[in-house]
Amino acid sequence: MSDIPQERRVLTAIPGPKSVELQARRTAAIAAGVGSTLPVFAARAGGGIIEDVDGNRLIDFGSGIAVTSVGASAEAVVRRASAQLADFTHTCFMVTPYEGYVEVCERLAELTPGDHAKKSALFNSGAEAVENAVKIARAYTKRTAVVVFDHGYHGRTNLTMALTAKNMPYKQGFGPFAPEVYRVPVAYGYRWPTGAENAGAEASAQAIDEITKQIGAQNVAAIIIEPVLGEGGFIEPAKGFLPEIARFAKDNGIVFVADEIQSGFCRTGQWFACEDEGIVPDLITTAKGIAGGLPLSAVTGRAEIMDAAHSGGLGGTYGGNPVACAGALGAIETMIELDLNGKARRIEEVMKGRLGEMRAKLPNGGVIGDIRGRGAMIAIELVKSGTKEPDAAATAALAKACHAEGLLVLTCGTYGNVLRFLPPLVIGEDLLDEGLDILEQAFATL
């Protein structure tokens, strides 16, 4: 594990001179479509700190978008991946298989919800996992339609762009998109017209009505939803919504897919966010936090559904790469040994407490319209004071002020007005508090 000191240190302007020099090289060599939240070039990272090429140490409230939950250089991940590198880097599981892939799939069967027989297939990215979940559901049901939800995000491939709700920056100019994708309402409590208390029942009824009337339940292969909607703004569907949608899927022979790519692996204080309301999905897609920073993803689900695709129908050259599988086994080992579910729940307790205090100090709550999320997947939705009008400008200004002081934060949301917090689950509480201090000071700059 990196021996990087777990202390914030700001030596230069952020970005510093070496990062500025690298940014010029980047601009000349890298396509403009590849963006960055903060053009600070990393040199080392570990625990709750990212150290840049100028020697600045930033508090990390992003985890590489929920990837480095066990830290960016967790001992077990480095140890296992290094040992695998020394043995072999690749054979292609579809050519000559290896034990690591099998072991990861065995662990996924143990950890994912439900006690039914399960199987998995491994891929490289979250988008690949979602795309393959659709393939599997279509093979199993012999149907074609796929239902997704307002504010959902599922990836950047052609099919997953179609599944994703938000146009900019994910879809603009990249069409036409894959057909037979239908979008229905989600229970976004903060913005539900009749109030959050009605959102679960009303949104589920509306979604089911639209599926029944406009698509026909008998035509739907899969319903795909993030149990906590990530890029859409860390929206927790109002209670009752997910169970009702899952029940409808079961009653109509539809494969219910939980997209746990951002919310999985202890991020919400449970192994998987769908456990909160006792949901047992037919298929679950995972990536991000699965392998401690190495590229790996999975589709795990009911054995009879997973086996529906014909031999050779699933796979990919790098899918389930042996080094990534070793990293995943190290990440899972770390999650269990350090009780990262417990750590995530403690992060929620600290963050929600402090954010609530910040809102209480602002007149009528000021720009903080909503505080939400679970575990170490927490967000604040920013609005124009006294209204629910999204305030993307304030969100960007807050992020910029945090960055200048050495706190890395991310934004998200359909309206660009959500500040999201995804600290590594291994972050020290002193760093967590210091990061929240910086955020509180940033509010004074608005």
Side-chain angles (χ1 to χ4, degrees):
M1 181 175 174
S2 172
D3 58 358
I4 184 169
Q6 295 297 295
E7 297 169 355
R8 180 177 67 102
R9 181 172 73 178
V10 180
L11 300 176
T12 71
I14 293 177
K18 290 181 180 175
S19 279
V20 170
E21 184 182 326
L22 280 165
Q23 180 66 12
R25 286 170 56 192
R26 170 210 167 117
T27 302
I30 295 173
V34 181
S36 289
T37 297
L38 179 60
V40 160
F41 284 74
R44 295 193 300 161
I49 291 287
I50 296 173
E51 185 173 294
D52 72 9
V53 290
D54 290 288
N56 299 302
R57 293 194 200 116
L58 284 70
I59 299 173
D60 182 10
F61 273 17
S63 300
I65 319 184
V67 168
T68 54
S69 298
V70 296
S73 48
E75 183 276 331
V77 173
V78 173
R79 168 172 43 83
R80 286 179 179 250
S82 298
Q84 180 58 55
L85 272 167
D87 289 341
F88 59 92
T89 60
H90 176 77
T91 66
C92 185
F93 191 77
M94 298 179 299
V95 178
T96 54
Y98 36 87
E99 186 179 0
Y101 189 121
V102 177
E103 194 175 349
V104 169
C105 294
E106 288 171 341
R107 300 298 274 139
L108 288 168
E110 292 166 8
L111 294 170
T112 51
D115 56 7
H116 51 276
K118 297 176 204 159
K119 293 189 178 183
S120 293
L122 303 183
F123 305 98
N124 302 292
S125 68
E128 268 190 88
V130 173
E131 190 137 337
N132 278 278
V134 171
K135 286 168 61 175
I136 292 163
R138 284 174 168 166
Y140 178 71
T141 61
K142 307 296 190 285
R143 305 171 181 178
T144 55
V146 179
V147 171
V148 288
F149 293 84
D150 289 339
H151 309 288
Y153 176 86
H154 300 286
R156 295 174 183 261
T157 61
N158 185 266
L159 174 58
T160 57
M161 279 191 294
L163 302 175
T164 291
K166 189 176 180 181
N167 179 50
M168 275 295 288
Y170 307 117
K171 301 165 74 166
Q172 177 64 32
F174 298 140
F177 302 113
E180 285 299 293
V181 173
Y182 301 88
R183 198 172 321 284
V184 297
V186 74
Y188 186 170
Y190 178 65
R191 295 195 172 275
W192 194 253
T194 61
E197 67 279 7
N198 300 315
E202 291 181 3
S204 57
Q206 195 174 326
I208 288 166
D209 184 65
E210 289 186 18
I211 296 167
T212 305
K213 302 288 191 342
Q214 297 180 29
I215 312 162
Q218 71 278 11
N219 297 317
V220 179
I223 293 175
I224 307 175
I225 190 165
E226 303 158 275
V228 177
L229 285 75
E231 298 294 317
F234 282 25
I235 300 162
E236 285 186 271
K239 292 288 184 260
F241 179 82
L242 287 173
E244 196 59 24
I245 298 296
R247 182 200 60 74
F248 172 78
K250 184 177 182 180
D251 289 349
N252 289 279
I254 299 166
V255 176
F256 183 85
V257 183
D259 179 343
E260 293 263 12
I261 286 159
Q262 191 163 171
S263 58
F265 292 101
C266 308
R267 177 53 58 181
T268 62
Q270 294 168 292
W271 278 101
F272 298 97
C274 61
E275 295 176 69
D276 184 64
E277 289 187 87
I279 304 294
V280 178
D282 297 311
L283 300 179
I284 185 165
T285 59
T286 52
K288 291 192 182 290
I290 192 173
L294 296 171
L296 187 70
S297 67
V299 183
T300 302
R302 297 184 184 279
E304 68 274 17
I305 298 177
M306 291 298 298
D307 279 343
H310 54 271
S311 179
L314 304 177
T317 302
Y318 295 107
N321 170 270
V323 181
C325 285
L329 295 170
I332 292 167
E333 175 187 326
T334 305
M335 291 169 196
I336 293 168
E337 283 190 4
L338 300 183
D339 182 21
L340 293 191
N341 278 317
K343 292 272 176 65
R345 291 192 293 271
R346 175 60 184 158
I347 289 168
E348 175 182 354
E349 186 182 347
V350 171
M351 294 200 90
K352 282 192 170 175
R354 287 290 305 278
L355 293 168
E357 289 168 10
M358 289 179 211
R359 180 162 64 175
K361 290 176 185 174
L362 299 168
N364 300 318
V367 295
I368 302 178
D370 195 26
I371 300 167
R372 57 177 179 253
R374 294 202 304 274
M377 191 173 180
I378 303 295
I380 51 176
E381 179 161 358
L382 299 165
V383 293
K384 294 187 176 169
S385 189
T387 75
K388 287 193 177 183
E389 185 182 344
D391 196 339
T395 309
L398 271 177
K400 186 177 180 182
C402 289
H403 295 162
E405 294 299 319
L407 172 66
L408 177 61
V409 295
L410 307 175
T411 60
C412 68
T414 300
Y415 312 108
N417 70 319
V418 176
L419 208 57
R420 58 173 157 172
F421 310 110
L422 291 162
L425 304 181
V426 295
I427 193 170
E429 207 160 306
D430 54 341
L431 283 180
L432 190 62
D433 280 323
E434 187 178 358
L436 291 163
D437 290 342
I438 292 168
L439 177 64
E440 186 164 6
Q441 291 156 15
F443 275 104
T445 67
L446 291 179

